[in-house]
Amino acid sequence: MSLEQRVTELEVRLAFQDDMLASLSAELATQQRIIERLQQQVVQLARRQEDMQVHVGEPIIDVPPPHY
């Protein structure tokens, strides 16, 4: 294999790696945004659950219907 062929092969490999790195970086950024959104949803759900638990312990007042 000549020196020119070896350099060409290395350039091709480098171009492929650059493309793959850019693709992986974009995918990582997308996944990070998804993770952040999911974390926000978990926090909101935890708040909702806390609010609901406060109301669970309240006694139910039996009010007779208006027709009595």
Side-chain angles (χ1 to χ4, degrees):
M1 184 182 281
S2 72
L3 181 61
E4 186 175 329
Q5 288 174 332
R6 290 175 62 192
V7 169
T8 302
E9 183 180 328
L10 287 172
E11 288 174 342
V12 169
R13 291 175 75 185
L14 178 62
F16 175 77
Q17 288 178 355
D18 283 344
D19 183 53
M20 185 59 67
L21 184 61
S23 175
L24 290 172
S25 180
E27 184 64 29
L28 182 62
T30 300
Q31 289 181 0
Q32 184 61 36
R33 285 191 299 272
I34 291 170
I35 289 170
E36 289 171 357
R37 189 174 68 236
L38 289 171
Q39 287 173 332
Q40 290 172 352
Q41 289 176 353
V42 167
V43 168
Q44 290 173 354
L45 288 172
R47 287 182 189 150
R48 275 188 183 173
Q49 184 180 12
E50 288 174 6
D51 291 343
M52 291 177 68
Q53 286 177 346
V54 168
H55 297 296
V56 169
E58 293 179 359
I60 298 174
I61 301 173
D62 286 331
V63 177
H67 62 279
Y68 278 111

